[in-house]
Amino acid sequence: MADVAVRLVQLTKRFGGDTTGRRVAKYVDDANADQGFLAVDHIDLDVNEGEFFSLLGPSGCGKTTTLRMIGGFEQPTDGRIELQGEDVTYLPAYKRNVNTVFQNYALFPHLTIYENVAFGLRRRKVSDADVKKRVTEMLELVELPGYEARKPGQISGGQAQRVALARALVNKPAVLLLDEPLGALDLKLRKQMQIELKRIQQEVGITFIYVTHDQEEAMTMSDRIAVMNHGHYEQLGDPEVLYERPRTRFVAGFLGVSNLLPASADGRDDRYANFRLSDGTAVRVPIAVIQDRAGTLALGVRPEKIRLLEEKDESPAGYNRVAGRIVHASYLGVSTQYIVQLKDGHRVTVYEQNVTRATKAELWSSGEDVVLCWAPEHCFVVEDAGGMAAAEADRELAAVV
Amino acid sequence: MIQRVPRGAIPYLLLLPGIGWLVLFYLYPALQLFLVSLWTGNITQGYQQTWNFGIYAEGFNEYWPWIVRSAAYGGLATLLAFLLGYPLAYTIAFKGGRYKNVLLFLVIAPFFTSFLLRTISWKIILADNGLVLGPLKQLGIIPQDFQFLATPVAVIAGITYNLLPFMTLPLYVALEKVDFRLLEAARDLYAGPWRPGGAIVGAIGGGILAFLAALVVEINPLLPVAVAAVVGALIGRYLISESFVRITFPLSLPGVFAGSLLTFIPAVGDFVNADLLGNVRTQMIGNVIEARFLKITDYPMASALSFILMAAIIIGVLIYARILGTEELTGGRA
Ligand SMILES: Nc1ncnc2c1ncn2[C@@H]1O[C@H](COP(=O)(O)OP(=O)(O)O)[C@@H](O)[C@H]1O
Ligand SMILES: [Mg+2]
């Protein structure tokens, strides 16, 4: 078992109703203002030593608030924060061995890049010689040697981002907190920095807790991801598990495109559980996939896992087969995206690599009858508390796409 | 028509009215004043333009004590206004919340009454047996012969009071711009309390202030300096944080610069406060100039003194800008 860098125990934050209410009161204008707004809802979480951990979720789900509580900028309403086994819940920020890369970088505009990076070391009374050595090393690590004398106003956004990173990392914190650090960069730079960040994290071996709303970003860099929604995380796991075996409709929808079909259980044998879709088709799912899923379930399959066949075509033994009709095809170069309507009206998205069918004439076209087929192992099952309303919304969205 | 104006010329065109105004109402009268300072003669026999540059040396030799006193009073008033105005501006900018505008309004509210009227009201309120001192004397809290008016303290306090908004507003504007996220970043980087440093700064600040005050009122500085140093140390120890020293204060320096100039320059040239709240021994250079112009009608000397004052202020401001400018550049070095 790896050492735990950060442990959150029942961590909770209400805005407006607590002692810090005065400064934030303006945010709370809804009906239950007296209770405050529940931004973080009883989170239990262990982040391991040396891990690249991401908090992923839509805007407003409480990622920043969670991070700020770990950093010491926000007082929890309830719960506990441990840093390397030590309770730091009430330790002020300046005493925590944690550093933050802020969303807007927050570089000190009146100090040079050198002094910005040296700031934490100087507060800790590190000797001038050591400061010089470590700042120089760090600027090399983030590939900004020679920028020492500049002011933050004289560098680009991407460079400011690196300085913010260097300024935090130079202190060798137990944990580095990053709040959407790449949010302000353009796409190309962002991709480049994702790789860079991962390299730096591996080089320095410091635990990173990374906040983002960009699923691709989280998947690219993270060892593990907690997918957050409404103040708590719905699922925690490595990127592959989250993608292949999402546990809730929300997680399935947030990481990539997924097709979710309402299904009712219809018996099982020793390896497979049987489900029946609303059009009556039987679908098989490995038992392992439905273990520990409870409540209303929905069946899911990722668009790239589905193959399209003609009615008469054979499919590998044991594959699930569902009939449908192509209602939309869009050619994307690498692949083609099809929208297929099932007999019960549900729409399914399918991505087909343009390999066997590559030219326009060979592709499926609107109105053709097809059979969707996929391996039972490619199914996943989600707990579908949101139910049909959410499903309808999803389908409408899919229809627009 | 407007499109035919070359783009580069637009800024100059926009400057034109301002420049015109300054030339007409400032530069031309200043030039005139300079010529007057080089006259010789008197009001009854008339004046000749004699280019008597010697008057400047003469004026300086004769009146330097008034100039020095003006600089001292103005400097002290500026320092006091800074010490009062900075916490005020800081509190409004960082803790004012939704009352910011109300508080700012209160800061400038005195401006709705005339400068002269406010100073005269001080004279009434603080008279030897007036609203404040009368009851205190009756209760025996202060001695019967205690005087506030007609002292240097009254003059400096009056100037400070009258100019406080000129200090507070620029400070507020500068502090308001300081991004609180920078302060979070500083705390994140281990900037915490600043106990020893704060105590030392507070003690030195308090000590200097008490020393200057003692000089002005001409008492033995030892006791006041000691007391003020201790009080200053306590205040500094608990109020000054490292993020304030490293971030907030350096970022507010433009406001400090603007505020202190806007206070110091009118303070040095002031004569109303010395006139109404002071006595003959608290006369400032402004009083001398006023008397020379209006009572003695010695126009050349009055003009020469005006120019000497102006030159002194310009030199002082340049030195000040130099010091503060480099301070800003090196402010981050530990
Ligand atoms: N200072 C605050 N006062 C009141 N509500 C806040 C405050 N900060 C955040 N919130 C609310 O808490 C919720 C979570 O915010 P945040 O943690 O910033 O979300 P995220 O970073 O995931 O976008 C949001 O609904 C936000 O409006
Ligand atoms: Mg956020």
Side-chain angles (χ1 to χ4, degrees):
Chain A
M1 179 80 203
D3 286 339
V4 175
V6 175
R7 168 169 290 159
L8 309 182
V9 183
Q10 291 290 297
L11 191 67
T12 302
K13 179 68 186 179
R14 268 180 198 284
F15 280 116
D18 59 6
T19 48
T20 63
R22 219 150 43 100
R23 217 191 93 203
V24 302
K26 60 175 185 284
Y27 286 87
V28 184
D29 48 16
D30 56 335
N32 43 5
D34 48 330
Q35 286 183 17
F37 177 83
L38 189 58
V40 175
D41 185 4
H42 298 90
I43 290 190
D44 284 307
L45 180 68
D46 280 0
V47 178
N48 296 328
E49 206 68 73
E51 180 172 42
F52 197 121
F53 190 93
S54 289
L55 292 173
L56 172 66
S59 172
C61 72
K63 309 178 297 286
T64 296
T65 308
T66 307
L67 207 69
R68 285 173 58 81
M69 286 194 283
I70 300 173
F73 302 112
E74 211 79 73
Q75 202 54 233
T77 313
D78 204 358
R80 197 151 43 88
I81 301 166
E82 285 173 20
L83 187 64
Q84 296 183 323
E86 183 198 352
D87 187 337
V88 298
T89 316
Y90 298 103
L91 204 64
Y94 62 87
K95 287 190 182 163
R96 292 191 196 194
N97 192 15
V98 165
N99 289 112
T100 309
V101 176
F102 291 89
Q103 204 159 2
N104 61 338
Y105 314 143
L107 298 183
F108 305 128
H110 59 302
L111 301 183
T112 60
I113 300 308
Y114 182 90
E115 284 302 328
N116 263 280
V117 177
F119 195 90
L121 297 176
R122 294 220 191 275
R123 301 289 81 73
R124 291 191 150 177
K125 309 272 182 289
V126 173
S127 75
D128 269 355
D130 275 0
V131 169
K132 186 158 188 354
K133 183 165 154 286
R134 283 168 69 174
V135 171
T136 308
E137 260 172 33
M138 199 41 71
L139 285 176
E140 254 157 43
L141 182 73
V142 299
E143 292 172 353
L144 280 179
Y147 282 74
E148 286 86 349
R150 297 216 197 168
K151 292 278 184 82
Q154 300 167 325
I155 58 178
S156 72
Q159 290 166 339
Q161 214 286 308
R162 288 158 190 266
V163 174
L165 186 66
R167 186 178 70 172
L169 274 179
V170 76
N171 305 292
K172 304 204 177 94
V175 177
L176 185 73
L177 308 175
L178 304 100
D179 190 356
E180 313 226 9
L182 309 183
L185 306 182
D186 62 54
L187 186 66
K188 194 168 156 225
L189 203 53
R190 200 152 71 216
K191 297 265 179 226
Q192 195 181 321
M193 277 305 292
Q194 289 171 6
I195 295 165
E196 192 91 333
L197 267 177
K198 183 73 186 174
R199 166 185 75 81
I200 290 171
Q201 193 260 341
Q202 282 167 345
E203 213 158 301
V204 296
I206 289 174
T207 312
F208 276 33
I209 301 184
Y210 190 96
V211 158
T212 178
H213 65 264
D214 181 335
Q215 53 106 2
E216 203 181 309
E217 191 167 292
M219 305 259 281
T220 312
M221 296 187 286
S222 314
D223 297 318
R224 287 196 305 156
I225 302 172
V227 184
M228 286 187 66
N229 193 18
H230 298 310
H232 64 275
Y233 61 89
E234 299 213 343
Q235 193 173 359
L236 172 68
D238 61 43
E240 190 203 325
V241 166
L242 292 177
Y243 186 76
E244 301 294 343
R245 296 278 181 266
R247 163 184 271 286
T248 65
R249 169 179 290 276
F250 175 79
V251 174
F254 203 78
L255 279 90
V257 177
S258 65
N259 298 299
L260 292 180
L261 303 167
S264 47
D266 186 26
R268 61 171 67 182
D269 54 38
D270 52 340
R271 288 186 55 211
Y272 294 99
N274 296 317
F275 283 89
R276 208 162 276 284
L277 302 182
S278 48
D279 67 359
T281 320
V283 174
R284 295 197 315 152
V285 178
I287 291 219
V289 169
I290 61 164
Q291 263 167 6
D292 75 8
R293 299 287 196 269
T296 319
L297 300 181
L299 210 64
V301 58
R302 297 286 181 187
E304 74 280 6
K305 303 288 198 307
I306 302 174
R307 278 163 57 196
L308 296 178
L309 305 172
E310 283 180 55
E311 183 70 52
K312 60 177 170 41
D313 289 340
E314 289 279 312
S315 53
Y319 270 44
N320 293 314
R321 284 175 76 102
V322 180
R325 173 172 296 168
I326 306 270
V327 292
H328 190 77
S330 13
Y331 179 78
L332 304 175
V334 189
S335 60
T336 306
Q337 174 184 304
Y338 299 102
I339 308 291
V340 181
Q341 185 156 5
L342 306 188
K343 278 186 279 188
D344 59 8
H346 277 101
R347 288 181 172 199
V348 172
T349 305
V350 179
Y351 296 151
E352 209 171 57
Q353 293 289 314
N354 293 335
V355 181
T356 46
R357 302 160 200 277
T359 66
K360 208 100 201 198
E362 292 166 341
L363 298 175
W364 300 100
S365 52
S366 242
E368 278 186 273
D369 283 323
V370 291
V371 169
L372 299 92
C373 105
W374 69 91
E377 286 69 25
H378 286 152
C379 277
F380 55 84
V381 172
V382 300
E383 292 171 350
D384 195 19
M388 293 311 292
E392 290 302 327
D394 271 7
R395 220 152 346 110
E396 263 156 41
L397 200 69
V400 173
V401 176
Chain B
M1 180 59 190
I2 277 177
Q3 281 155 346
R4 280 218 240 126
V5 177
R7 274 193 156 272
I10 289 175
Y12 298 102
L13 286 177
L14 290 175
L15 276 177
L16 220 51
I19 289 175
W21 181 276
L22 280 178
V23 167
L24 198 61
F25 293 110
Y26 178 74
L27 212 54
Y28 172 71
L31 195 69
Q32 197 64 43
L33 201 65
F34 182 65
L35 293 179
V36 169
S37 76
L38 301 176
W39 285 353
T40 314
N42 60 48
I43 189 89
T44 42
Q45 285 156 7
Y47 293 99
Q48 272 97 46
Q49 187 79 58
T50 52
W51 307 104
N52 171 25
F53 283 99
I55 195 167
Y56 282 90
E58 195 185 319
F60 187 81
N61 285 335
E62 195 167 342
Y63 292 107
W64 68 263
W66 279 264
I67 296 178
V68 169
R69 187 182 297 134
S70 298
Y73 285 12
L76 264 174
T78 306
L79 194 63
L80 273 174
F82 172 75
L83 290 176
L84 293 171
Y86 202 97
L88 186 62
Y90 183 92
T91 310
I92 298 173
F94 286 97
K95 319 277 178 194
R98 70 177 102 173
Y99 300 110
K100 259 183 202 175
N101 289 334
V102 176
L103 293 171
L104 271 184
F105 176 78
L106 290 179
V107 168
I108 56 165
F111 280 162
F112 291 95
T113 321
S114 115
F115 174 56
L116 210 57
L117 220 57
R118 276 182 285 138
T119 312
I120 290 172
S121 72
W122 265 51
K123 203 176 160 98
I124 296 168
I125 295 169
L126 296 170
D128 290 352
N129 284 302
L131 216 55
V132 177
L133 299 189
L136 289 176
K137 282 179 183 176
Q138 247 159 30
L139 293 173
I141 294 173
I142 51 175
Q144 284 303 320
D145 61 351
F146 182 88
Q147 242 193 344
F148 178 76
L149 291 183
T151 63
V153 179
V155 177
I156 294 169
I159 297 174
T160 307
Y161 159 72
N162 276 309
L163 297 177
L164 188 58
F166 289 112
M167 177 62 91
T168 310
L169 289 181
L171 285 175
Y172 170 80
V173 171
L175 285 166
E176 160 75 4
K177 276 197 302 199
V178 174
D179 189 343
F180 77 90
R181 290 173 296 192
L182 295 179
L183 305 179
E184 283 191 344
R187 274 195 289 146
D188 185 70
L189 295 162
Y190 322 118
W194 202 55
R195 297 268 152 77
I200 293 169
V201 168
I204 293 176
I208 291 179
L209 206 63
F211 182 73
L212 292 174
L215 278 194
V216 171
V217 298
E218 292 164 2
I219 58 170
N220 184 354
L222 215 59
L223 187 68
V225 166
V227 172
V230 171
V231 172
L234 285 174
I235 295 176
R237 182 177 159 88
Y238 290 104
L239 280 189
I240 304 180
S241 70
E242 215 167 358
S243 61
F244 176 79
V245 177
R246 299 293 169 193
I247 310 298
T248 313
F249 188 70
L251 288 178
S252 71
L253 278 180
V256 175
F257 186 68
S260 45
L261 288 190
L262 284 179
T263 310
F264 182 73
I265 294 171
V268 174
D270 184 70
F271 62 93
V272 173
N273 285 284
D275 209 25
L276 294 177
L277 306 177
N279 62 20
V280 277
R281 295 182 53 220
T282 63
Q283 297 250 309
M284 295 169 69
I285 191 69
N287 300 90
V288 175
I289 296 172
E290 187 218 8
R292 289 274 136 187
F293 260 119
L294 302 180
K295 300 190 185 118
I296 307 170
T297 58
D298 180 359
Y299 296 142
M301 183 53 87
S303 309
L305 287 175
S306 298
F307 270 96
I308 291 172
L309 178 62
M310 190 151 61
I313 290 177
I314 290 175
I315 291 169
V317 166
L318 285 179
I319 293 172
Y320 179 62
R322 196 59 192 259
I323 293 170
L324 212 64
T326 44
E327 167 83 4
E328 203 175 358
L329 289 177
T330 57
R333 300 278 147 75

